[in-house]
């Protein structure tokens, strides 16, 4: 339930409501709104009786929250969350372009690709230092050396970096180097990792599990928020279906559904959804048309030599083409965001 305060409510009245909630053995979370504050009631096991709260001074109304997720839901927070990564705003009216290789392979590889994508307007660089591979014999990533290369990329190019933490033990180290910590599809319900991510000081990019419903995905985000980290970016990356013409099936309808259900930013990763580079540009256009807050795309300057996911990586010239093709689908404000750093 949400207790909505009147716009004239004083801090003392808000504190009284919090105390009343806590006296009932429940957890209160104050949500500062632009015009008025609201107080969310958490950890209730059944419906909460609104009557005692409605009688308190400064209370305007109570709203039952019908969803199992709370902190992530639109009912709890009406305004879009904007996750700030340095000077890059992810969510709301902004548009973010994240690009880079599947895996960091060497300093030269990472810097070459980073320069290429930056010149086309990318604001964040992606690249795994720890890779969740299907086979234990495939390239597993450079580990800490890869994180150091990412730090170098940031230093040399000014791009912020996003990279995956494979488990809660690695989170600490990844947090030291990354600007955004990625939780991969295979780990969407790794609850110890989600809890650790909730204590991280960096934003979390949470990918949708390959067989997860939207409710399960939002509940995973709820774990992170419930532990105190409000900076969660959701990333749709395709789900498993019977189709075999693409690696996964990009669930584009997830975009409007998530935007309705949640205030969190949502981006699309067409690379892992498609699994083949010839599908990536059309699905990027479609994602932007569907209203995403950004895209995360795999790019490699020598995809035929890539140590992972080469078949889905765009060549840098294709990435430039992709940017040109999404521009007509952006809002005016998003266009300004995206094109200010592009070298034409
Ligand atoms: C990735 O982005 O590098 C990755 C492994 O993606 P996913 O978790 O979506 O498979
Ligand atoms: Mn990949």
């Amino acid at each position: 339930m949400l207790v909505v305060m009147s716009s004239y409510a004083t801090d003392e009245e808000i504190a009284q409501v919090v105390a009343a909630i806590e006296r009932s053995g429940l957890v209160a979370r104050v949500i500062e709104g632009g015009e008025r504050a609201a107080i969310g009631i958490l950890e209730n096991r059944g419906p909460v009786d609104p009557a005692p709260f409605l009688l308190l001074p400064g209370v305007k109304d109570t709203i039952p929250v019908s969803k199992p997720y709370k902190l992530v839901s639109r009912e709890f927070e009406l305004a879009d969350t904007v996750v700030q990564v340095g000077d890059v705003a992810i969510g709301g009216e902004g548009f973010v372009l994240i690009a880079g290789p599947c895996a960091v392979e060497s300093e030269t590889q990472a810097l070459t690709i980073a320069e290429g994508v930056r010149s086309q307007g990318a604001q964040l660089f992606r690249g795994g230092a720890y890779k969740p591979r299907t086979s234990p014999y495939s390239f597993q990533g450079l580990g800490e050396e890869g994180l150091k290369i990412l730090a170098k990329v940031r230093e040399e190019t000014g791009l912020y970096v996003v990279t995956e933490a494979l488990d809660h033990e690695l989170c600490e180290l990844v947090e030291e180097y990354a600007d955004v910590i990625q939780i991969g599809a295979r780990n969407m319900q790794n609850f110890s990792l989600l809890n650790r991510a909730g204590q991280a000081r960096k934003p979390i990019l949470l990918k949708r599990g390959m067989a997860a419903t939207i409710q399960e995905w939002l509940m995973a985000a709820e774990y992170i928020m419930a532990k105190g980290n409000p900076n969660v970016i959701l990333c749709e990356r395709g789900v498993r279906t019977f189709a075999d013409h693409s690696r996964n099936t990009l669930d584009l309808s997830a975009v409007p559904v998530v935007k309705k259900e949640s205030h969190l930013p949502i981006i699309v990763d067409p690379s892992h959804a498609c699994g083949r580079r010839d599908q990536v540009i059309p699905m990027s256009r479609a994602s932007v048309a569907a209203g995403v807050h950004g895209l995360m795309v795999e790019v490699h300057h020598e995809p035929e030599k890539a140590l992972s996911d080469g078949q889905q990586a765009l060549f840098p010239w294709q990435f430039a083409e992709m940017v040109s093709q999404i521009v007509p689908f952006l809002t005016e404000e998003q266009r300004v965001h995206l094109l200010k750093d592009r070298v034409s």
Side-chain angles (χ1 to χ4, degrees), residues 24-35:
S24 332
L26 300 165
V27 173
R29 178 75 61 94
V30 179
I31 303 157
E32 300 290 352
E35 216 175 286

Side-chain angles (χ1 to χ4, degrees), residues 15-317:
Q16 271 174 16
V17 175
V18 169
I21 293 170
E22 288 172 351
R23 269 199 306 279
S24 332
L26 300 165
V27 173
R29 178 75 61 94
V30 179
I31 303 157
E32 300 290 352
E35 216 175 286
R36 54 167 57 99
I39 301 154
I41 300 183
L42 305 176
E43 298 190 14
N44 50 304
R45 286 172 203 274
V48 178
D49 178 10
F53 304 111
L54 282 167
L55 294 173
L56 294 173
V59 172
K60 182 169 182 288
D61 203 0
T62 59
I63 305 174
V65 176
S66 51
K67 303 286 167 25
Y69 36 86
K70 297 193 176 192
L71 299 172
V72 305
S73 84
R74 258 302 167 207
E75 285 172 320
F76 250 51
E77 179 60 71
L78 209 56
D80 280 357
T81 285
V82 176
V83 174
Q84 204 65 42
V85 181
D87 59 350
V88 179
I90 306 178
E93 303 305 317
F95 187 84
V96 67
L97 204 48
I98 307 173
C102 181
V104 176
E105 298 166 5
S106 70
E107 191 174 308
T108 311
Q109 174 248 20
L111 281 169
T112 307
I113 299 169
E115 292 295 355
V117 298
R118 187 179 62 130
S119 70
Q120 296 309 312
Q123 301 112 320
L124 268 78
F125 182 74
R126 63 143 293 143
Y130 299 91
K131 293 305 303 175
R133 304 303 301 278
T134 302
S135 163
Y137 307 118
S138 302
F139 177 59
Q140 305 285 312
L142 295 179
E144 189 167 1
E145 190 196 334
L147 295 176
K148 290 187 173 145
I149 292 172
L150 288 169
K152 181 94 193 261
V153 166
R154 176 177 45 227
E155 202 180 298
E156 302 244 323
T157 65
L159 293 172
Y160 299 103
V161 298
V162 49
T163 196
E164 181 165 351
L166 278 188
D167 53 45
H168 73 271
E169 286 100 343
L170 277 172
C171 210
E172 179 99 35
L173 190 64
V174 171
E175 192 177 352
E176 262 177 52
Y177 290 93
D179 299 296
V180 176
I181 304 167
Q182 178 170 323
I183 295 185
R186 291 156 192 80
N187 265 326
M188 190 206 80
Q189 283 186 318
N190 177 339
F191 297 110
S192 61
L193 178 57
L194 295 173
N195 282 328
R196 174 61 185 80
Q199 289 155 31
R201 299 171 309 279
K202 301 278 170 72
I204 308 297
L205 190 147
L206 178 65
K207 289 200 151 191
R208 179 179 180 184
M210 58 183 87
T213 63
I214 290 179
Q215 180 161 315
E216 287 162 343
W217 185 20
L218 292 177
M219 291 305 282
E222 185 82 17
Y223 264 86
I224 301 170
M225 288 193 74
K227 283 281 177 204
N229 188 346
N231 296 312
V232 181
I233 303 154
L234 298 165
C235 179
E236 160 65 37
R237 46 77 74 206
V239 289
R240 269 289 161 80
T241 67
F242 54 84
D244 59 4
H245 57 274
S246 55
R247 182 173 176 180
N248 292 286
T249 298
L250 180 59
D251 180 12
L252 265 187
S253 61
V255 177
V257 173
V258 165
K259 285 177 84 176
K260 178 163 169 274
E261 293 293 315
S262 177
H263 51 86
L264 294 173
I266 175 165
I267 67 168
V268 161
D269 168 354
S271 306
H272 290 88
C274 300
R276 314 169 27 150
R277 77 174 62 86
D278 62 335
Q279 297 174 1
V280 171
I281 296 179
M283 295 320 277
S284 300
R285 283 200 309 266
S287 303
V288 176
V292 283
H293 296 115
L295 291 173
M296 178 156 95
V297 184
E298 286 188 348
V299 178
H300 202 294
H301 65 308
E302 291 175 324
E304 62 290 348
K305 293 193 194 150
L307 297 179
S308 70
D309 284 352
Q311 71 293 345
Q312 69 194 30
L314 295 182
F315 287 93
W317 65 268

